[in-house]
Amino acid sequence: DGGITQSPKYLFRKEGQNVTLSCEQNLNHDAMYWYRQDPGQGLRLIYYSQIVNDFQKGDIAEGYSVSREKKESFPLTVTSAQKNPTAFYLCASSIGARDGTEAFFGQGTRLTVV
Amino acid sequence: AQSVTQLGSHVSVSEGALVLLRCNYSSSVPPYLFWYVQYPNQGLQLLLKYTTGATLVKGINGFEAEFKKSETSFHLTKPSAHMSDAAEYFCAVSGNTGRRALTFGSGTRLQVQP
């Protein structure tokens, strides 16, 4: 079945550590996105990529980094510079070629700083 | 810039009652509008979307929404609530801005009372 796979589902990080969240899709979508979800704040865009080897900052990119070396993969690294990383992280993808196309979401990764 | 405002962070209805979740948008270009549903600790699932054409859009699970340009609204309705409708609902917007990523509202949690 086609879809988006995020791993791990739960992740614990010590303060000062970098962690990488995985996102893989087999939908043959060009565009991929990372969102952060906090209670009462909806989803906020961290980074997005419309094509391989290219990505842009979203609204809250500070303390995060991404890469897009393969069409199927868009990993997110939460660096030690991110002061409040505890949140639910959602990866999404879309066809990307046209405006108005919907995004398909993975099941999310819950990151907790301990 | 585009934005979405969802009025009411929590809505409670009785089983069988009308569901009305409110969404107002701000956009300098013709918008594309979406409603998503999220069950606890899961990703988002598309309920319906408006791109062009008919302003009354029907989605999955008996939901529908009407695009009203004069009111800049895209409210979600369902004639009769079911216990399984209890979830969080997000309205989102995108447009011809070159950034195809969706911009989300803060969400509305729907409770359905027996």
Side-chain angles (χ1 to χ4, degrees):
Chain A
D1 287 338
I4 300 174
T5 301
Q6 290 188 242
S7 61
K9 189 171 177 64
Y10 298 95
L11 186 58
F12 297 89
R13 189 195 95 170
K14 293 182 179 179
E15 288 197 26
Q17 283 184 337
N18 293 356
V19 290
T20 297
L21 283 59
S22 171
C23 178
E24 303 277 333
Q25 55 99 359
N26 60 5
L27 299 168
N28 199 33
H29 286 170
D30 287 313
M32 297 188 74
Y33 314 87
W34 275 105
Y35 287 90
R36 170 179 171 143
Q37 185 177 12
D38 297 282
Q41 297 193 47
L43 280 70
R44 293 181 289 167
L45 183 67
I46 304 173
Y47 269 98
Y48 64 104
S49 168
Q50 296 187 350
I51 198 168
V52 174
N53 293 322
D54 187 46
F55 50 83
Q56 288 80 40
K57 293 181 178 180
D59 301 316
I60 56 164
E62 185 175 352
Y64 300 97
S65 66
V66 294
S67 63
R68 186 85 187 277
E69 297 177 0
K70 298 187 299 182
K71 187 175 185 177
E72 302 80 20
S73 179
F74 192 41
L76 173 74
T77 297
V78 184
T79 75
S80 57
Q82 171 48 239
K83 297 305 178 188
N84 185 21
T86 294
F88 191 51
Y89 291 86
L90 288 159
C91 178
S93 70
S94 69
I95 294 174
R98 304 183 301 276
D99 290 303
T101 56
E102 64 267 31
F104 294 80
F105 283 82
Q107 294 297 296
T109 293
R110 187 166 297 280
L111 173 63
T112 304
V113 173
V114 296
Chain B
Q2 298 174 309
S3 66
V4 167
T5 301
Q6 291 186 240
L7 297 175
S9 59
H10 289 83
V11 170
S12 182
V13 300
S14 298
E15 193 173 18
L18 171 72
V19 175
L20 171 61
L21 304 182
R22 300 178 185 274
C23 172
N24 288 89
Y25 69 89
S26 173
S27 177
S28 59
V29 298
Y32 302 105
L33 294 159
F34 306 80
W35 275 100
Y36 282 84
V37 61
Q38 184 183 36
Y39 298 98
N41 293 313
Q42 293 189 24
L44 276 67
Q45 179 185 6
L46 180 70
L47 280 175
L48 49 81
K49 69 175 183 179
Y50 169 79
T51 53
T52 59
T55 56
L56 181 62
V57 180
K58 295 186 184 300
I60 62 171
N61 301 337
F63 285 94
E64 63 182 36
E66 186 171 10
F67 171 64
K68 292 187 177 181
K69 184 177 179 181
S70 61
E71 299 177 8
T72 61
S73 70
F74 191 56
H75 301 332
L76 182 71
T77 60
K78 182 174 180 178
S80 177
H82 191 274
M83 297 296 289
S84 62
D85 295 327
E88 189 152 23
Y89 293 80
F90 292 93
C91 183
V93 64
S94 71
N96 297 309
T97 62
R99 176 175 127 162
R100 296 194 174 96
L102 302 182
T103 299
F104 285 85
S106 56
T108 297
R109 183 166 299 279
L110 176 66
Q111 290 182 312
V112 182
Q113 307 291 343

